[in-house]
Amino acid sequence: MSAAACVSFCPSPASSRHGGPIVDLAGLPPATEAEERGAQRDLLEFGVNGTIGANSDSDEDAAAAEIDDEEEHSVRRPRAVVQKFMCERKAVGDGFALRRSIGRPELQSLDPFISLDEFEFSRPAGFSDHPHRGFENVTYMLEGGLSYHDFSGHKGTINTGDVQWMTAGRGVVHAEMPGGEGVQRGLNLWLNLSSTDKMVAPRYQELRSRDVPTAEKDGASIKVIAGEALGARSPIQTRTPAMWLDVTMRPGARLRQPVPAGWSACAYVIDGEASFGQPGDEAAGAHHCVVFGGDGDGVDVRSEGAGTRFLLLAARPHGEAVALDGPFVMNTSEEVQQAREDYLNRRNGFEMAAGWTSGQ
């Protein structure tokens, strides 16, 4: 599928990253394969014959171990805010609009994050059959539902508060459509895979809202989508050590959340307003993206006005070159071209696309 047809889940064609030069991030320390592999538990994984089965891995979860280390002490040196901007709403076609935070001119990427969108769509908008390779595609519904169907027969609907963590790996072809009447709202993240993981078997992790771990303390309530906070740990196992927290804070509440050293981190305000960083810093309102510097052991947040709800994202950077074009995220332009040819020729991970259609 073209980038224009998959605009919510593909970086904008107007972005210099779309079909642009390789971004060299080699100056950052790369994670080792063992550190990024993590435990893969209760996952849906494609076998070589196209079947889906449960996969279980007893390897230690490096991401959880790092966060455990950080949780052992309180935040002593809050990270400073190095960038803050408003994410304006942009209508794209009939029935679709988005607010892009990562993957825009001010913040073209935040290794290992490729893009982050708050999206809203309704019929007739939708995303018909299209491929992906080389990254993880995460969808978290804020309101309404999203229906999906892929070339292995995996299909269903995620609704308000549900999350789907899809590892595209060597290749997935799927369709995504509004899961109900009216406007459907959610957040969509593209999380890059390391070079050693780009050709792994595709798999899904899905959590219903009722199964998302929640913790509360001092006026802050946290839904732990990935990683750990306030002693609550998500069952989602990530290949790249990462944290995704949906935080709601009452007026006047304060949260000091540890973030492992060396991880990239940002916040996206969904509703209300909050102050991040040092006391006296200007508050960030709804639809603002806040990027944190790397120096410090966590983030310090104070709820302003009538309270706030925000997304806190953090992950260990890969420190690798990125070559991105439409639905493919690889390390070199040659690998992107190979992905395109593999999809067109239905090979190397795209075999099940031959003769398949979602009917959408």
Side-chain angles (χ1 to χ4, degrees), residues 9-312:
F9 306 117
C10 293
S12 169
S15 167
S16 62
R17 296 182 301 106
H18 178 78
I22 297 171
V23 181
D24 187 2
L25 301 175
L28 296 174
T32 66
E33 179 179 0
E35 288 172 323
E36 291 194 342
R37 187 171 62 246
Q40 298 300 325
R41 183 180 59 203
D42 297 331
L43 309 181
L44 294 176
E45 179 166 335
F46 297 120
V48 294
N49 60 355
T51 61
I52 301 181
N55 178 53
S56 178
D57 192 336
S58 60
D59 290 347
E60 180 181 7
D61 185 358
E66 286 193 60
I67 296 173
D68 281 343
D69 291 341
E70 296 295 328
E71 292 279 8
E72 289 179 359
H73 62 82
S74 60
V75 175
R76 299 182 180 90
R77 296 185 302 111
R79 295 190 182 201
V81 173
V82 297
Q83 195 174 6
K84 180 174 63 177
F85 52 86
M86 174 70 176
C87 305
E88 64 282 353
R89 181 181 184 274
K90 292 186 177 181
V92 183
D94 186 8
F96 182 79
L98 79 159
R99 297 178 184 269
R100 175 154 291 169
S101 47
I102 302 173
R104 54 187 288 137
E106 299 94 326
L107 188 63
Q108 292 193 11
S109 65
L110 186 64
D111 187 15
F113 304 120
I114 300 297
S115 66
L116 175 65
D117 294 333
E118 179 183 356
F119 66 90
E120 56 185 73
F121 72 147
S122 57
R123 295 185 176 97
F127 309 101
S128 56
D129 306 352
H130 60 280
H132 291 302
R133 174 181 281 181
F135 66 99
E136 295 187 290
N137 180 28
V138 187
T139 304
Y140 180 49
M141 294 305 298
L142 300 176
E143 178 183 356
L146 179 143
S147 296
Y148 56 88
H149 185 188
D150 81 0
F151 65 176
S152 74
H154 186 58
K155 61 191 299 186
T157 300
I158 54 173
N159 296 297
T160 303
D162 297 346
V163 59
Q164 182 185 81
W165 199 288
M166 183 190 79
T167 302
R170 62 175 175 247
V172 162
V173 180
H174 69 165
E176 296 147 309
M177 296 291 167
E181 299 298 326
V183 177
Q184 323 295 307
R185 295 179 55 242
L187 294 163
N188 181 258
L189 172 73
W190 280 21
L191 175 60
N192 197 16
L193 287 169
S194 69
S195 58
T196 56
D197 283 340
K198 286 192 177 295
M199 295 298 285
V200 298
R203 59 188 175 272
Y204 291 88
Q205 298 174 86
E206 291 164 0
L207 277 181
R208 297 304 178 189
S209 176
R210 63 180 178 271
D211 298 322
V212 176
T214 302
E216 298 185 10
K217 182 180 180 181
D218 299 334
S221 176
I222 303 179
K223 295 180 179 180
V224 185
I225 307 301
E228 184 174 358
L230 301 180
R233 179 181 296 179
S234 172
I236 287 180
Q237 303 294 320
T238 63
R239 283 199 168 265
T240 300
M243 173 190 299
W244 173 314
L245 307 180
D246 178 359
V247 183
T248 300
M249 299 174 65
R250 295 200 298 264
R254 185 179 185 182
L255 174 68
R256 296 168 70 88
Q257 173 62 39
V259 175
W263 286 24
S264 301
C266 69
Y268 178 75
V269 182
I270 299 170
D271 193 21
E273 59 180 13
S275 295
F276 301 85
Q278 302 300 320
D281 286 356
E282 183 180 356
H287 313 303
H288 276 76
C289 180
V290 178
V291 183
F292 300 101
D295 186 24
D297 57 3
V299 298
D300 190 352
V301 189
R302 294 165 300 281
S303 178
E304 305 285 353
T308 187
R309 181 185 182 189
F310 64 92
L311 172 72
L312 179 61

